[in-house]
Amino acid sequence: MSNWAQLDKDNKVISVIVCDNNDPNGDVGYQWLLDNLGGTWVQTSYNGNIRYNYAGIGYNYDPDADAFIAPRPDCGHKELFLSTTNYQWQCQACDLVVRFKNETEV
């Protein structure tokens, strides 16, 4: 199965769907998405093999970094930063790491 994120005009994820890898076009469902649903689609990986993080609704896609980035959490510390190693939010003050699918680990 292939996973796809639909983006709005601001590169914000508005939906995530699963397509069949056995698409006759050999493009893991991309052409089907365009023909049947339209819009802008970017492939995502549930295990983070591509684009660093699995896309979730509300995430942003950064085309320069080719990464899906979770919304900025509100931990209340000025030490909060976006790691450019894994494109996850981290805070050294509270040991916060925001992982894919909006899961927060403290």
Side-chain angles (χ1 to χ4, degrees):
M1 303 310 258
S2 60
N3 296 271
W4 296 87
Q6 184 178 24
L7 308 178
D8 69 9
K9 63 180 178 55
D10 297 317
N11 286 335
K12 189 171 193 172
V13 177
I14 55 175
S15 68
V16 180
I17 65 169
V18 179
C19 288
D20 186 355
N21 275 350
N22 297 318
D23 184 89
N25 291 324
D27 62 4
V28 292
Y30 181 70
Q31 191 60 52
W32 184 92
L33 291 170
L34 295 178
D35 293 346
N36 293 281
L37 302 177
T40 302
W41 295 89
V42 176
Q43 191 169 12
T44 186
S45 170
Y46 190 77
N47 54 17
N49 285 337
I50 57 172
R51 301 191 173 86
Y52 295 93
N53 303 293
Y54 184 72
I57 294 173
Y59 277 45
N60 285 306
Y61 173 66
D62 180 336
D64 294 327
D66 194 25
F68 287 108
I69 302 169
R72 181 184 174 98
D74 184 18
C75 73
H77 297 108
K78 64 181 178 183
E79 293 86 357
L80 180 68
F81 69 97
L82 180 65
S83 168
T84 55
T85 302
N86 59 11
Y87 291 92
Q88 295 175 355
W89 294 100
Q90 299 179 10
C91 179
Q92 295 170 339
C94 62
D95 294 326
L96 172 90
V97 177
V98 177
R99 301 188 183 279
F100 73 94
K101 291 178 64 178
N102 283 335
E103 293 174 359
T104 304
E105 181 177 288
V106 178

